[in-house]
Amino acid sequence: MRKLLFVLLFAVALTLTGCHAADPLQMDTVSKTESTSAKDVQDTHSDLPEAESSSASSVQDESESSLVAAESKPAETSVPSQNTEPTAPENISSGTTASRSEEKPPAETTPVKPEPEPEKPVPDTPEPVPVEPNATAADSSKIADLVVKYINDYRTAQGVPTAAWLPGLTGYAEYRSHQLISNFAHDTDDERAAATALQYGDYIDPALYGMTGEPYYTANVREAIAKGGYTGMIDEVAQSLAQLVRNSSSHWSYVGSSEYLYIGVGVTYESGMWYCDIALSRENYG
């Protein structure tokens, strides 16, 4: 019986040793199982005599020693963790790992040219306003027309109808303005001479009235005469001449009267002086 037990234990020990050598990963499980089997064998033969129990114990110890010896070899082998990734082998020639990604050279970037600063707008230089030159003798007729305008503006301002411009009467006033250069006066002979030269107005034959003398013309007008050494543009000279007559109460009493419905103005420039004749008439002689 003792021999049978020893053979049984020895066979178990050999089996365990072979198992440990084949599968080191299951070492702990087998060790626990064999340890339990040995204990069961001991418990099974607990009813044996004391001497037999000692023999079984020695066999158990011997068996356990074999187990420890068998277990010590695979224990030295480090079991790799199942969760650990395998380390890539080193590249001996380069000293770098084979799994290391090759470093790419930095991408070439095209230098960005700075945008030029917007040009500041150059302020437009205002064009010089042309200055109208001072009026000259060639502007006499233009000045006369503007004098008519200003006289009628003054008449309208005081509620008097405007006076109608007549070309024949204007010719007469121009003739008179030339006469004013040498004789600045209301002269009857000059007035008759102007009308006779132009054959403007009423024809008069003294013989028809039992008088002697040559026939003549009369314009039958009232006139206002003015002169001034004004300088400036056309409009400025015209306004100055009209204002001069307007400011004279004796002249304006008939120039601004509704009794006279027709007007003609003549202007002449001589030696820095403007001579103006404003002729008004009740009759339309054209």
Side-chain angles (χ1 to χ4, degrees), residues 96 146 224:
T96 58
L146 286 174

Side-chain angles (χ1 to χ4, degrees), residues 58-205:
S58 62
V59 173
Q60 181 180 1
D61 293 340
E62 196 173 321
S63 171
E64 290 178 358
S65 298
S66 300
L67 289 175
V68 171
E71 291 174 0
S72 62
K73 291 182 180 181
E76 293 178 359
T77 303
S78 60
V79 180
S81 174
Q82 295 180 356
N83 298 328
T84 304
E85 296 181 358
T87 304
E90 291 184 350
N91 188 334
I92 299 175
S93 60
S94 62
T96 58
T97 59
S99 62
R100 182 178 179 180
S101 60
E102 296 182 359
E103 295 183 357
K104 295 182 180 180
E108 295 182 0
T109 58
T110 304
V112 179
K113 294 182 180 180
E115 295 183 359
E117 295 182 0
E119 296 181 359
K120 296 181 180 179
V122 179
D124 295 335
T125 304
E127 296 182 0
V129 179
V131 178
E132 187 178 344
N134 290 339
T136 63
D139 301 316
S140 297
S141 60
K142 295 179 180 178
I143 292 174
D145 293 340
L146 286 174
V147 170
V148 173
K149 173 185 179 301
Y150 285 122
I151 291 299
N152 276 326
D153 287 346
Y154 295 143
R155 287 167 65 100
T156 302
Q158 66 182 25
V160 176
T162 59
W165 177 83
L166 296 177
L169 188 57
T170 298
Y172 170 82
E174 288 176 353
Y175 198 100
R176 283 290 293 140
S177 68
H178 286 284
Q179 292 175 326
L180 294 177
I181 297 172
S182 58
N183 184 22
F184 188 76
H186 299 287
D187 190 291
T188 302
D189 291 338
D190 288 343
E191 292 173 355
R192 285 181 181 180
T196 300
L198 298 173
Q199 296 184 1
Y200 182 79
D202 289 334
Y203 176 77
I204 302 297
D205 184 359

Side-chain angles (χ1 to χ4, degrees), residues 169 172 191 200 218-223 260 279-282:
L169 188 57
Y172 170 82
E191 292 173 355
Y200 182 79
T218 179
N220 295 320
V221 300
R222 291 286 302 270
E223 66 179 14
Y260 297 94
L280 295 112
S281 174
R282 296 185 184 95

Side-chain angles (χ1 to χ4, degrees), residues 5-18 20 30-31 33-42 54-72:
L5 180 61
F6 177 78
V7 172
L8 180 61
L9 290 174
F10 184 75
V12 171
L14 289 178
T15 302
L16 290 175
T17 302
H20 281 291
V30 174
S31 299
T33 304
E34 295 301 329
S35 179
T36 304
S37 300
K39 186 177 180 181
D40 292 341
V41 172
Q42 184 178 1
S54 298
S55 300
S57 178
S58 62
V59 173
Q60 181 180 1
D61 293 340
E62 196 173 321
S63 171
E64 290 178 358
S65 298
S66 300
L67 289 175
V68 171
E71 291 174 0
S72 62

Side-chain angles (χ1 to χ4, degrees), residues 236-248:
E236 294 173 338
V237 173
Q239 191 170 12
S240 297
L241 291 171
Q243 188 69 39
L244 184 63
V245 175
R246 175 67 181 85
N247 291 340
S248 174

